[in-house]
């Protein structure tokens, strides 16, 4: 069964800056650097879905009419429980929270079971990171001089498959924001 999730995908410039930060952190935190072309922020993780349900997922996405927004990823962090080093947002803009809640509501209404944890927008940069080293290495902040900003103009549906080199992601749909 396809394993799918909705996400925001950075433009090429933002992905390149994110990857540079990831390689910098890797020097100190170790772990595994996420590939540049796989960097994303998950909006809703749907999980395994029967192929015949994919049109229902697309219909939920197509029903969303909301504005795009600039996002500034400006807060570094490392979660010890899952050893993920990530870049998040100091402030979550209302437009992003609105997109997330509209998507979650649409998915629930269409009978998809989705993640119930509070929304914590982030881009995973490293897996298996040594989070103990993080605070000292980064002074608890994003070590980049400027936030990584991109203008979010759409959201995407991604299919994930596991390979020997980690997860591979393929975009199988994209919907514009206004
Ligand atoms: P992560 O990067 O914080 O691990 C594909 O696996 C994407 O879905 C990743 O962004 C991952 O977040 C997220 N993800 C994986 N499993 C999830 C779950 N059970 N709940 C929420 N998000 C999940």
């Amino acid at each position: 069964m396809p394993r799918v999730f909705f996400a925001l995908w950075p433009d090429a410039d933002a992905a390149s800056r994110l990857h540079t930060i990831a390689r910098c952190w890797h020097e100190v935190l170790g772990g595994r650097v996420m590939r540049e072309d796989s960097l994303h922020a998950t909006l809703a993780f749907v999980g395994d879905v029967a192929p015949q349900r994919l049109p229902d997922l697309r219909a939920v996405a197509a029903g969303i009419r909301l504005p795009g927004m600039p996002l500034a990823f400006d807060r570094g962090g490392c979660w010890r429980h899952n050893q993920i080093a990530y870049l998040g947002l100091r402030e979550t803009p209302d437009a992003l929270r609105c997109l997330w809640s509209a998507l979650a509501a649409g998915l629930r209404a269409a009978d998809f079971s989705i993640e119930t944890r509070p929304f914590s927008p982030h881009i995973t940069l490293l897996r298996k990171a040594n989070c103990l080293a993080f605070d000292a290495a980064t002074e608890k902040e994003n070590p980049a001089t400027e936030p990584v900003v991109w203008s979010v103009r759409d959201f995407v549906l991604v299919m994930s498959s596991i390979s020997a080199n980690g997860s591979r992601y393929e975009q199988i749909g994209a919907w514009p924001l206004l």
Side-chain angles (χ1 to χ4, degrees):
M1 278 207 281
R3 183 168 225 250
V4 296
F5 60 96
F6 287 98
L8 302 177
W9 216 264
D11 60 36
D13 184 55
S16 165
R17 289 201 54 211
L18 289 163
H19 196 240
T20 300
I21 295 170
R23 280 180 293 154
C24 165
W25 288 7
H26 179 254
E27 291 300 305
V28 181
L29 309 183
R32 185 159 52 83
V33 178
M34 296 297 94
R35 291 211 328 262
E36 186 170 328
D37 64 1
S38 75
L39 295 166
H40 66 274
T42 295
L43 278 174
F45 182 78
V46 185
D48 296 336
V49 166
Q52 61 270 27
R53 289 279 274 146
L54 288 176
D56 299 334
L57 268 187
R58 293 175 190 280
V60 170
I64 290 180
R65 300 258 183 279
L66 285 171
M69 73 217 79
L71 284 184
F73 284 82
D74 57 0
R75 185 175 62 83
C78 199
W79 285 314
R80 291 185 190 185
H81 69 281
N82 55 10
Q83 297 178 285
I84 281 179
Y86 64 89
L87 208 52
L89 306 164
R90 256 181 259 259
E91 304 280 346
T92 301
D94 288 341
L96 177 57
R97 197 166 286 284
C98 189
L99 173 59
W100 168 75
S101 54
L103 196 51
L107 290 168
R108 280 194 206 98
D111 251 358
F112 289 100
S113 57
I114 56 156
E115 169 70 6
T116 52
R117 284 183 301 194
F119 186 38
S120 175
H122 67 279
I123 298 173
T124 296
L125 298 183
L126 299 176
R127 294 194 187 276
K128 304 269 181 231
N130 173 8
C131 290
L132 290 176
F134 181 83
D135 290 352
T138 63
E139 297 176 332
K140 302 186 185 182
E141 291 290 343
N142 171 11
T145 28
E146 293 165 8
V148 178
V149 182
W150 92 86
S151 184
V152 175
R153 298 204 172 89
D154 62 8
F155 64 100
V156 295
L157 180 61
V158 183
M159 188 164 74
S160 152
S161 49
I162 311 287
S163 75
N165 305 323
S167 294
R168 294 201 75 84
Y169 300 133
E170 181 193 352
Q171 290 186 27
I172 57 171
W175 291 268
L177 296 165
L178 309 175

